[in-house]
């Protein structure tokens, strides 16, 4: 697979707008995007997979699952997933500036972790074979 990164340096700064706990419809989110969009590429990070309203704001959107989204799949290790996802967003966009409009990342992760039900580990092939053996 090829390397899709641009070989030329970017000509606009990248602003990562952390808005966990905020709605994409929030006026402060709109105002912040508008204030930066003329001079920088804005990447909005929200904790809502229904981000249709954010997609028309003229910025990129990175969506994390909300509490209701997490409730649909309670057996997943959401805390681990979100920690990795946030790290991947930072690595991918390599922002020049992070602006926090929502709750702090650490608080978000703590709340995220405390809302997760215990994870049941998946059975290995050996476990399944052991259960299928007679006696």
């Amino acid at each position: 697979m090829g390397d899709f990164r641009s070989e030329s340096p970017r000509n606009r700064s990248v602003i990562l707008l952390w808005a966990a706990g905020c709605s994409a419809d929030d006026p402060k989110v709109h105002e912040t995007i508008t204030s930066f969009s003329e001079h920088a590429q804005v990447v909005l990070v929200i904790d809502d997979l229904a981000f249709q309203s954010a997609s028309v704001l003229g910025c990129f959107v990175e969506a994390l699952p909300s509490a209701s989204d997490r409730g649909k799949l309670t057996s997943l290790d959401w805390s681990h997933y979100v920690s990795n996802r946030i790290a991947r967003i930072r690595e991918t966009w390599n922002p020049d500036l992070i602006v926090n409009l929502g709750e702090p990342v650490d608080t978000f992760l703590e709340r995220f972790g405390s809302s997760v039900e215990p994870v049941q580990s998946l059975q290995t092939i050996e476990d399944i074979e052991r259960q299928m053996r007679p006696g």
Side-chain angles (χ1 to χ4, degrees):
M1 184 150 190
D3 186 354
F4 293 104
R5 293 175 292 179
S6 173
E7 292 182 15
S8 60
R10 56 186 181 205
N11 58 3
R12 295 178 74 189
S13 297
V14 174
I15 308 294
L16 189 69
L17 180 57
W18 175 260
C22 298
S23 166
D25 296 325
D26 189 324
K28 72 180 176 182
V29 171
H30 285 258
E31 290 169 13
T32 306
I33 290 171
T34 302
S35 69
F36 283 113
S37 63
E38 186 175 325
H39 305 289
Q41 179 61 60
V42 178
V43 180
L44 174 64
V45 181
I46 56 173
D47 59 337
D48 188 359
L49 296 180
F51 56 87
Q52 294 86 350
S53 59
S55 64
V56 299
L57 297 176
C59 64
F60 289 100
V61 177
E62 293 281 0
L64 300 169
S66 67
S68 64
D69 296 322
R70 294 189 311 267
K72 295 173 188 170
L73 294 168
T74 58
S75 63
L76 296 179
D77 185 352
W78 286 110
S79 181
H80 181 72
Y81 169 80
V82 170
S83 295
N84 287 341
R85 180 82 171 101
I86 291 170
R88 178 70 179 174
I89 290 169
R90 285 181 176 158
E91 179 185 323
T92 300
W93 290 103
N94 190 23
D96 298 298
L97 177 66
I98 298 175
V99 177
N100 187 359
L101 293 180
E103 63 186 339
V105 175
D106 292 339
T107 305
F108 175 74
L109 288 173
E110 285 173 19
R111 184 174 55 81
F112 216 106
S114 66
S115 68
V116 176
E117 294 181 14
V119 176
Q120 295 177 350
S121 60
L122 296 175
Q123 288 185 323
T124 64
I125 292 174
E126 291 82 15
D127 294 335
I128 295 169
E129 287 175 348
R130 198 175 308 116
Q131 291 172 359
M132 296 179 73
R133 286 185 202 137

